[in-house]
Every structure is written in structure tokens, then in C-alpha cells.
Amino acid sequence: MDHLTHLKTAGLKSTLPRLKVLNLFGNGNERHLSAEDVYKKLLASGDDVGLATVYRVLTQFEQAGLLIRHHFEGDKSVFELNEGKHHDHIVCLQCGRIEEFYDATIESRQKKAAADRGYSVHDHSLYIYADCIKPKCPNKP
Amino acid sequence: MDHLTHLKTAGLKSTLPRLKVLNLFGNGNERHLSAEDVYKKLLASGDDVGLATVYRVLTQFEQAGLLIRHHFEGDKSVFELNEGKHHDHIVCLQCGRIEEFYDATIESRQKKAAADRGYSVHDHSLYIYADCIKPKCPNKP
DNA sequence: GTCGGTAATGGTAATCATTCTCATTTGCGT
DNA sequence: ACGCAAATGAGAATGATTACCATTACCGAC
Ligand SMILES: [Mn+2]
Ligand SMILES: [Mn+2]
Ligand SMILES: [Zn+2]
Ligand SMILES: [Zn+2]
């Protein structure tokens, strides 16, 4: 399903700002971007989109299920394309690198922990904060 | 170790505001409190402490290892007493109730996931967002 | 116990991310 | 091409948190 179709499916009208934002996430760029990141990247590529619009669109895409919002350590939200395959994250505290992983055992133990206590799970977030080993860690974003 | 000793050990001088904040967390009250929660509770009990001081002290206690800071969904930080026993959290999206749990398997699989990829783990956060079953969920905070 | 210096406090201004307001522009069906 | 509801964007407003800085409270030395 292409971007335009994605928008229609979500009941969102196809506008230039929305397509531009969706393109950013679709590219081979970094998968995890903050609103500020998106705004700056669009400006840099000559596509002028208002900051308010960026925030609005990101939230709409999240509600439509096109993007996933993360609250890594710190104040700002980070978004990534929702490609249907759930995964968790390791965040390097030195350089900000983000690595994805999936562990079926962790997933099932989580479900069990919640079920045992009478909870109906919506979702969960698991962030591992770590240092990546020297060679591949350029230190500091 | 009592509160006064805690402060000394952390290299923090024993002041009235600090003791009051530490007392709040020591009581049988709710374990998980935001800065605003702490501020309001102190006001309510006649102990006037400035909001700026509350924020400062909470951060100092976190750095000293006396408190643990959480970033549950939403914008504000939540703190709890660090009693040495690590645990994760289930958060009810309806009423805000927070339940703690510990699963040794999850812990070890996390360590392994990070180690396998060459990361040296600092810490991690695992939050399960759910609905607690009707009877014990009073809906809405 | 008093004194003095330093660290802590607290009122208020400032900052940062995010949301709101509202006049202007755009997408889209007719 | 026309018309109108929905979307945009510049800037104001908000909410949480931090920075400033003049005043006050610890604490160790007399
Ligand atoms: Mn990811
Ligand atoms: Mn807890
Ligand atoms: Zn790194
Ligand atoms: Zn509940």
C-alpha cells in the first residue's frame, strides 16, 4: 500500500505536508525521529512545513496507526513508521543510537504477568538504556 | 538506615524541606508521586515548601539513588522510593492505578538481548499499559 | 550558645516541548 | 473553473520543569 492509499485508508485527505512527512519516514533515513527532527529535515530539503502542522500530522498519523510514538528518556516524543512488526529498543546513552530487538519469551512473560493480575493489556514499552561498545559508538549525538 | 542518615550518606545536608519530602515517600501513602503531587501534599499538611525546591530536591534524591524517576505515559515525571528491589510496572489507563511486578525470566532475557548485541546495560524501563478489571477499577483518577 | 560562611530555599522569570487560535490557503467534488 | 469544508501556519498560550538571585537556614569553629 503506497502513501496516498495509506492516507485515504486512515480517512485523512491527501495534502502536501502529510505526504512530505510520510516520505521522510519511508526513506532509508533514520527510523526514529522527533517532531523537531522532522521539522528540520523538511526545512533542509526546501519543503517548508509549519512546526504546528508537523506536530498535528504526527499525532494524526499516530492515531491512524501509521506511526508509533515513543517516550525514550527525556522530554520529547520520538516517532517511527508502524510496519506491523512489534519490537523493543536499546538506546545508547552515549551516542543516542537506537537498536531494535524482539524476544518472544519476553513478550509472552509480559502477557502472563498482566493476565495473572487481572489486567487486559493495551500495549507496553520496553527500553533498555545502555552504552554501545566503543568501535561503533561515535560518542555523543 | 533512617532518613537523616540517608541524607548524610548521599552527601546532602539535612534540611527541613528535604526531610519533609523524604517523609512523604516513607509513609504508607502512594508509592508513586509526581512533583506536583509532592508539592500539593506538603501544602495540604501545612508544610510550606516552594515548588522550585520540590523539583530540585527530587532530582537530587534521584541522583543520590534515594528515589527512582519514571516516565510513564504523559509529560510528567513520577518518583518512588528506591528500596533496592528492582521491579517493573503495570499502569491502568482507566484509573491510573500502578501495580508492581518482577519477572526473573524477563530480566535475564533483557540482559541477554543487550549483551548479544554488544551493549553494556545501565538500566531499563518496562511499562505495561492496561485496563484493570472492573471491580477494582474506579475508572478515571 | 553565638557567629559566620556556605549551601539551601523559594518567589518569580525564563525555557522547552507541545497545543491552541484564527486568518489564509488548499484539496476535491460538482 | 467554483465553492466550501478541511488543512495549514504564524504566533500566542499552556504546562512542566529549570534558572536566577536575594533571603534564610545549617553546621562547624570559637
Ligand atoms: Mn523501532
Ligand atoms: Mn514501583
Ligand atoms: Zn553509542
Ligand atoms: Zn484501573
Side-chain angles (χ1 to χ4, degrees):
Chain A
M1 180 159 58
D2 66 340
H3 291 162
L4 209 148
T5 313
H6 257 156
L7 291 179
K8 278 192 202 148
T9 303
L12 294 170
K13 121 179 1 174
S14 166
T15 68
L16 233 36
R18 283 175 182 158
L19 289 174
K20 287 173 183 171
V21 170
L22 214 39
N23 272 331
L24 256 195
F25 283 98
N27 290 348
N29 286 316
E30 304 117 82
R31 289 185 44 76
H32 307 88
L33 300 172
S34 69
E36 189 73 19
D37 291 338
V38 170
Y39 178 64
K40 292 215 184 104
K41 278 183 182 295
L42 290 179
L43 284 194
S45 59
D47 299 311
D48 294 310
V49 175
L51 182 55
T53 300
V54 169
Y55 274 102
R56 232 180 342 225
V57 166
L58 289 176
T59 299
Q60 291 165 340
F61 284 1
E62 182 202 4
Q63 288 165 348
L66 296 180
L67 294 180
I68 295 174
R69 180 195 299 259
H70 294 292
H71 303 284
F72 295 138
E73 209 144 79
D75 29 21
K76 60 187 63 168
S77 290
V78 171
F79 299 82
E80 74 175 313
L81 205 53
N82 179 1
E83 301 182 287
K85 299 176 286 287
H86 166 75
H87 55 261
D88 293 310
H89 298 84
I90 304 176
V91 182
C92 174
L93 295 174
Q94 298 308 307
C95 69
R97 182 196 311 278
I98 295 172
E99 192 150 325
E100 310 181 330
F101 75 96
Y102 178 84
D103 184 302
T105 303
I106 291 179
E107 299 294 326
S108 67
R109 299 289 305 185
Q110 283 181 49
K111 285 198 192 75
K112 177 167 165 46
D116 285 354
R117 293 168 179 75
Y119 285 83
S120 160
V121 176
H122 278 226
D123 65 342
H124 70 265
S125 71
L126 168 54
Y127 306 129
I128 297 180
Y129 301 103
D131 293 334
C132 56
I133 43 183
K134 288 291 149 44
K136 66 171 173 174
C137 181
N139 283 327
K140 300 290 166 193
Chain B
M1 182 157 58
D2 65 342
H3 291 163
L4 209 148
T5 313
H6 257 157
L7 291 178
K8 279 192 200 147
T9 303
L12 294 170
K13 127 181 350 179
S14 165
T15 68
L16 233 36
R18 282 174 182 159
L19 290 174
K20 287 173 182 169
V21 170
L22 215 39
N23 272 329
L24 255 196
F25 283 99
N27 290 348
N29 285 316
E30 303 118 84
R31 289 185 44 76
H32 307 89
L33 300 172
S34 69
E36 190 72 19
D37 291 338
V38 170
Y39 179 64
K40 291 214 185 104
K41 278 182 183 293
L42 290 179
L43 284 195
S45 58
D47 300 310
D48 293 310
V49 174
L51 182 55
T53 300
V54 169
Y55 274 104
R56 220 177 307 130
V57 166
L58 289 175
T59 299
Q60 291 164 341
F61 285 1
E62 182 202 6
Q63 287 165 347
L66 296 180
L67 294 181
I68 295 173
R69 180 195 300 259
H70 293 291
H71 304 285
F72 295 137
E73 211 144 76
D75 32 19
K76 59 186 64 167
S77 290
V78 171
F79 300 83
E80 75 174 312
L81 204 53
N82 179 0
E83 302 181 285
K85 300 177 286 287
H86 166 75
H87 55 262
D88 294 309
H89 298 84
I90 303 175
V91 183
C92 175
L93 295 173
Q94 297 308 308
C95 68
R97 183 196 310 278
I98 295 173
E99 191 150 324
E100 310 181 331
F101 74 96
Y102 178 85
D103 183 304
T105 303
I106 290 179
E107 299 294 325
S108 68
R109 298 290 306 183
Q110 283 181 48
K111 286 200 193 73
K112 178 167 164 47
D116 285 354
R117 293 167 179 74
Y119 284 84
S120 160
V121 176
H122 278 226
D123 64 343
H124 70 265
S125 70
L126 167 54
Y127 306 129
I128 297 179
Y129 301 103
D131 293 334
C132 56
I133 41 182
K134 288 291 149 43
K136 64 173 175 174
C137 182
N139 283 327
K140 299 292 166 191

